[in-house]
Amino acid sequence: FADDEHLEAEWGVNPTIPRVGETMQVYADLKWRGQPIKEAVVEAIVLDQNYVGDLLARNQFVVDPNSNQRDVSASILKYLRLLEEDPEFVGQLTFKPQKIQLKHQGDGTYVGTYTPAVPGLKPIFITAKGKDPERGTLVERLFFLNKNIRDARIDLDASTISTQFNANGSAIINWRPITVNGLFIGPGNDAAFNIKGAERTRIVDDQLGGYQILLEGVRPESKIAIDYLGDEIYQGTLCQFGKTQFGDIDLDASKIRTKLDADGNATINWRPVTKNRRRPIGPGQADLIEIRGPEKTKIEDNGDGRYTMRLLGVNPDSRISVRLSCNEVYRGPLSKFGSMSKPTVCRTWLCRFRDRLRAMPGRLLPS
């Protein structure tokens, strides 16, 4: 490292807070006795390595969270134990140099580009070899900086989110946050989350990249907001957190057919179609369909974007609420959800005999 009164140098990166997947510029401004150094060879070397958070999340080793260690989280203890006892883990932390050529942009300014693939603290070395503009003597310098690269944005669809609601006004969210480039944010980041909308919140770190969020004073319809390191990653109702959003559903285009028999059993066939794209939501979404109101409900995926919903204990005037991904798409009487065919009335002597037996106390007959 060298510097003297003749050299004016500035170096760094833009933007000042780089993010994974976004191109950043590495620059160096070089002047000697106030004159720009031209035709220099300027290179930067970024010491890249695997992301520690992702490595910890994928390593199944865990430490006793009830350890007597003070002021040290279980995730940090896990990291220290792996450094001490697992040579394979230590080998995964090896630096991988990435060379960047900085090109002269004029007036002694040299710029190169680099797109980080993993987050973390990156050491960056910049070497410059040029000539004194007046005397032609060699000017050679080495500059150094550390730059923290932020995570890519969190991919909610891939983060394995499940929510359980309790009757006492509390909820438990289990999830394993993963970014859009496929890296787990890893353990030890519970303090980076900020959750609004609940009376009380507690976050439990499982040391494997998973987090359990305990919320008190909430209902499924409660509005919540979650951000990570200042980035808002979700805002909406609690019951929709982690579920695919389809937008508004076009009921008229969804080909809804409803049949109701004389025993109070309804069968609804429909093919949900979105309004904005005019496309079916497709197969594999049965878990996101919910019907409130009937005594019992069973939903079947027909595999072609069509779904069969069987309702027990209903009549044409029964009030139902149909929800898709927690978003209510219909509320009202069963008879007005799509086109309903009238129930077939059995008028044979066998049906009359069956109905008479059903009316007798203590007698149960199958439908």
Side-chain angles (χ1 to χ4, degrees), residues 267-300:
T267 302
I268 302 174
N269 290 284
W270 76 323
R271 181 171 175 255
V273 175
T274 60
K275 279 186 177 180
N276 56 345
R277 295 187 179 181
R278 300 287 181 181
R279 294 174 57 185
I281 67 171
Q285 311 295 347
D287 291 341
L288 302 181
I289 301 174
E290 178 187 5
I291 302 180
R292 299 181 181 182
E295 295 177 4
K296 293 183 179 179
T297 304
K298 182 179 180 181
I299 301 174
E300 300 174 0

Side-chain angles (χ1 to χ4, degrees), residues 310-338:
R310 307 186 190 279
L311 286 57
L312 303 183
V314 293
N315 59 62
D317 297 326
S318 295
R319 306 287 294 185
I320 64 170
S321 171
V322 181
R323 296 167 178 258
L324 179 61
S325 190
C326 280
N327 184 31
E328 188 174 68
V329 299
Y330 175 78
R331 177 191 289 268
L334 173 63
S335 59
K336 292 186 179 180
F337 184 63

